[in-house]
Amino acid sequence: MPSEKHKMLSGQWYNPLDKALSAERLASRKLQHQFNHSSPEDEATRRAVVKQWLPNTGKHFYVEPPFYCDYGYNIRTGSKVFFNFNCVVLDVAPVVIGSNVFFGPAVQIYTVNHPLDALKRRTLLEQALPVTIGNDVWIGGGAVILPGVTIADGSVIAAGSVVTKDVPTGVLAGGNPCKVIKAINAVD
């Protein structure tokens, strides 16, 4: 029988209250607390915490505290990725981010879904779908990216947008729900 973690990572309905998953989230919360409450001058401590807490990030990964996530290990980035203040990444499923990607303040990335049916929600089961963000993407402040979304290379998401569907390469997209506004110059 598959573990709850296996179910979670494979997009099946799973129990988030599973003891092993709860322990992993607690370990992440402890590192999160250490990072978010570190002194701005203590860059060595911050780098050490990030290396342990977010082990799958590339070179020149930079994040301003506070930063919040569920597990940390499900966030994978290329190089030169910047998260501004107060971002949230619910990384129940993989969140894959390319290189040269910038996140404005208060960006939120959600991978977790709950049942629409109220009786099924009472079971507390969840389902997670991955989020993928390509290279050379800029996500404006306050944007929300929903489960299962892919944002392709070279695109810009306007501040305050709610991204409910995939965004193609080299476009400016915005609004709620987020829609393509116009084509822009994408990097080759």
Side-chain angles (χ1 to χ4, degrees):
M1 182 167 185
S3 69
E4 294 303 310
K5 183 175 182 175
H6 174 80
K7 290 185 211 175
M8 176 183 85
L9 294 174
S10 63
Q12 299 175 51
W13 292 98
Y14 72 97
N15 179 359
L17 302 178
D18 173 72
K19 287 182 183 181
L21 291 175
S22 295
E24 287 185 1
R25 283 192 309 276
L26 178 60
S28 176
R29 299 292 188 280
K30 288 178 180 179
L31 292 167
Q32 176 177 281
H33 180 80
Q34 187 178 355
F35 177 80
N36 287 338
H37 292 87
S38 63
S39 170
E41 298 90 15
D42 196 354
E43 291 182 30
T45 295
R46 284 186 174 182
R47 278 193 303 272
V49 171
V50 165
K51 190 173 187 174
Q52 184 179 359
W53 180 33
L54 305 164
N56 298 310
T57 55
K59 281 186 170 184
H60 308 292
F61 175 81
Y62 192 80
V63 58
E64 290 283 359
F67 180 81
Y68 304 96
C69 68
D70 280 317
Y71 296 96
Y73 59 75
N74 277 330
I75 300 170
R76 296 178 184 93
T77 76
S79 62
K80 298 180 183 174
V81 172
F82 173 77
F83 279 93
N84 212 322
F85 299 101
N86 210 32
C87 289
V88 175
V89 180
L90 300 183
D91 64 321
V92 176
V95 176
V96 179
I97 300 165
S99 295
N100 305 304
V101 178
F102 304 101
F103 296 89
V107 169
Q108 299 177 50
I109 301 173
Y110 305 150
T111 64
V112 66
N113 275 321
H114 301 280
L116 294 178
D117 180 88
L119 292 176
K120 289 181 182 175
R121 267 196 315 277
R122 290 181 186 176
T123 68
L124 302 179
L125 294 179
E126 297 177 346
Q127 178 193 43
L129 299 171
V131 168
T132 303
I133 299 170
N135 298 311
D136 301 297
V137 171
W138 174 24
I139 310 291
V144 177
I145 302 167
L146 296 184
V149 165
T150 295
I151 299 171
D153 294 349
S155 287
V156 175
I157 305 300
S161 297
V162 178
V163 186
T164 61
K165 296 187 186 310
D166 292 353
V167 175
T169 301
V171 299
L172 170 63
N176 181 4
C178 186
K179 295 181 180 172
V180 173
I181 296 169
K182 66 178 182 176
I184 57 176
N185 291 334
V187 176
D188 293 328

